[in-house]
Amino acid sequence: MKKIAVVLAGNGVYDGAEIHEATLTMLSIARNGAQYQCFAPDIIQTHVVNHVTGEEMPEIRNVMVEAARIARGNIKPLKEYNAADFDAIIFPGGFGVAKNFCSYAFDGVDCVVIPEAENAIRNTVDAGKPIGALCIAPVLVAKILGDVNVTVGEDDAEANAIENFGGIHVKSTHGEIVVDEKYKLVSSPCYMLDATIDQIADGAENVVVKILEMI
């Protein structure tokens, strides 16, 4: 049975992993006959956001502890990820990707990526295995790899950032995927567009199906 690592940036769209994207990715993996293992960096998240008001809260939370809520406790530190043990890796979106995996949300193209995220992506590429990136995650991958073909839908700011990193942005709409054959990288815009949960399901499903075809 194929095994896919799913990397979570916390719990909740505004300061962590986008829960719909994460859950529907895991559902798609299972329904397509594969297994998944969740990972997250064992670090303090950048900040905590009240998901009702959108305001920052005076709390300190751990990214992996929060992500464990989505994973139902079955989660491992991202530093323990070994590409040799998996057939592919997928990064759902959420602002945590741009806040906890890197500083893109604050520093733009001058952002810094945490070592755990960079090592996971580079090691997967070196092993010749596929990578999935949903929502804002293609920006993270572009920052690390440079010359990638990816999509974040129709967002000009993020498209410009991707091209600044040396990549090529391809416009897309709901459920569509963009495949970079060189890096075996599959991306879909998901909630970078004004999407509904069923459209997110389509995007996650199409990414997972394509990745399983590439394994």
Side-chain angles (χ1 to χ4, degrees):
M1 184 177 287
K2 303 301 182 184
K3 193 170 184 179
I4 299 177
V6 178
V7 185
L8 305 177
N11 179 29
V13 58
Y14 299 128
D15 57 14
E18 210 301 311
I19 296 173
H20 296 171
E21 294 172 5
T23 303
L24 290 167
T25 294
M26 292 186 284
L27 176 63
S28 181
I29 291 170
R31 284 188 168 174
N32 283 283
Q35 295 178 321
Y36 63 83
Q37 172 63 56
C38 293
F39 288 86
D42 186 8
I43 59 174
I44 299 300
Q45 69 184 51
T46 303
H47 62 194
V48 179
V49 175
N50 182 319
H51 278 58
V52 176
T53 66
E55 297 178 354
E56 187 172 347
M57 300 171 65
E59 296 184 14
I60 297 175
R61 299 188 186 184
N62 178 283
V63 173
M64 188 172 75
V65 171
E66 291 301 297
R69 295 173 181 270
I70 299 174
R72 294 177 59 85
N74 183 14
I75 197 162
K76 296 181 179 181
L78 185 53
K79 65 182 180 181
E80 295 182 6
Y81 168 75
N82 183 353
D85 297 332
F86 293 87
D87 296 291
I89 191 170
I90 298 179
F91 289 78
F95 280 109
V97 173
K99 293 177 177 180
N100 301 324
F101 290 172
C102 67
S103 61
Y104 178 76
F106 312 105
D107 302 324
V109 295
D110 297 319
C111 65
V112 176
V113 180
I114 64 169
E116 294 98 319
E118 181 161 3
N119 291 340
I121 289 173
R122 290 195 182 279
N123 290 344
T124 303
V125 170
D126 290 344
K129 296 179 178 180
I131 299 171
L134 309 182
C135 194
I136 192 68
V139 175
L140 172 72
V141 179
K143 173 64 178 180
I144 295 168
L145 299 179
D147 60 330
V148 293
N149 292 293
V150 291
T151 186
V152 288
E154 301 175 353
D155 192 290
D156 290 336
E158 272 58 71
N160 290 338
I162 288 165
E163 292 178 357
N164 185 280
F165 295 146
I168 296 174
H169 180 261
V170 181
K171 285 190 175 183
S172 65
T173 190
H174 301 292
E176 291 184 344
I177 61 173
V178 168
V179 180
D180 184 306
E181 299 290 349
K182 175 182 175 180
Y183 289 109
K184 295 185 178 180
L185 171 61
V186 186
S187 56
S188 189
C190 292
Y191 276 122
M192 290 300 290
L193 298 170
D194 184 12
T196 57
I197 193 169
D198 57 313
Q199 291 168 330
I200 301 305
D202 291 340
E205 173 79 3
N206 292 337
V207 168
V208 169
V209 168
K210 184 60 180 180
I211 283 177
L212 290 173
E213 290 176 358
M214 300 171 81
I215 295 172

